[in-house]
Amino acid sequence: DADVTQTPRNRITKTGKRIMLECSQTKGHDRMYWYRQDPGLGLRLIYYSFDVKDINKGEISDGYSVSRQAQAKFSLSLESAIPNQTALYFCATSDQDEQYFGPGTRLTVT
Amino acid sequence: GQQVMQIPQYQHVQEGEDFTTYCNSSTTLSNIQWYKQRPGGHPVFLIQLVKSGEVKKQKRLTFQFGEAKKNSSLHITATQTTDVGTYFCAEGSGGSNYKLTFGKGTLLTVNP
């Protein structure tokens, strides 16, 4: 959905490096989410936020942190990347129940 | 969190055949959503089911929510190559702390 953008789209980084994935939305939604997708494992929730002052851990938050800089921006950070964080990362937004996903960031940690 | 089990993991069909994917839970589901992810794409919302026994249709797609609200299914009639992708179910829960728990998905491939 062009209303939800993610940068970068692809990133290769080395073990131990800090990396930030960014998500922006123009839908005016309060709720934003970060997921990771691994083959055969579906989508797993990392963090979610219901407004700028509200941050919640998802089922796999270890090794990740987030920042909600504004209603429209929600960033995911890997403080010290490790190879098993290699995955496809999706940001999503919602105003009620339906979620709108960004195009994804493919991250490879070598 | 509550787990939703989705089967089968993979399904390959000939174009024109029907396809069904199932989502099961050991406990009562608040509601269920279905998403489709095309190869190389991102998940796209298809539908939400809330009521016990609910049935909704979108052209060739039929969605059902079980009477006990412990299972759901997505049925595609006469598949087409455009139906290729991974279909996910997801349970919505948490009340005001609303979030989705996704099944692992069913990858559908269609042989033309």
Side-chain angles (χ1 to χ4, degrees), chain B residues 2-112:
Chain B
Q2 181 151 291
Q3 298 294 313
V4 286
M5 306 302 293
Q6 195 171 350
I7 56 171
Q9 188 174 3
Y10 306 99
Q11 184 78 60
H12 178 74
V13 300
Q14 289 293 126
E15 189 170 24
E17 292 181 339
D18 292 356
F19 160 77
T20 305
T21 175
Y22 301 89
C23 191
N24 301 304
S25 173
S26 59
T27 58
T28 302
L29 300 167
S30 302
N31 57 76
I32 200 86
Q33 295 185 15
W34 286 92
Y35 289 77
K36 176 184 179 181
Q37 183 178 21
R38 294 181 185 274
H42 58 274
V44 175
F45 175 82
L46 294 176
I47 210 157
Q48 176 168 273
L49 304 173
V50 178
K51 299 178 182 178
S52 169
E54 190 169 16
V55 178
K56 290 187 177 180
K57 294 189 176 185
Q58 292 178 351
K59 298 182 180 179
R60 295 178 294 104
L61 277 61
T62 302
F63 304 85
Q64 293 189 329
F65 203 8
E67 293 289 342
K69 298 183 71 174
K70 290 185 177 182
N71 56 75
S72 181
S73 65
L74 159 58
H75 180 82
I76 302 178
T77 303
T79 55
Q80 300 175 358
T81 54
T82 54
D83 295 324
V84 165
T86 301
Y87 293 84
F88 293 99
C89 64
E91 188 216 2
S93 62
S96 60
N97 201 29
Y98 191 83
K99 61 184 185 292
L100 294 177
T101 300
F102 282 81
K104 294 182 179 181
T106 296
L107 172 61
L108 171 66
T109 55
V110 180
N111 195 32

Side-chain angles (χ1 to χ4, degrees), chain A residues 29-84:
Chain A
H29 292 167
D30 286 326
R31 300 177 181 182
M32 298 188 73
Y33 306 80
W34 274 104
Y35 295 90
R36 67 176 278 176
Q37 185 174 35
D38 299 277
L41 294 180
L43 292 149
R44 293 182 290 167
L45 184 62
I46 306 172
Y47 271 96
Y48 58 107
S49 169
F50 287 169
D51 65 44
V52 175
K53 296 181 180 180
D54 176 74
I55 301 291
N56 303 280
K57 291 183 177 180
E59 61 178 297
I60 55 163
S61 59
D62 287 349
Y64 301 95
S65 63
V66 291
S67 173
R68 184 82 184 265
Q69 302 95 323
Q71 185 202 39
K73 296 183 182 297
F74 192 34
S75 300
L76 176 71
S77 293
L78 288 67
E79 297 301 324
S80 179
I82 56 177
N84 76 3

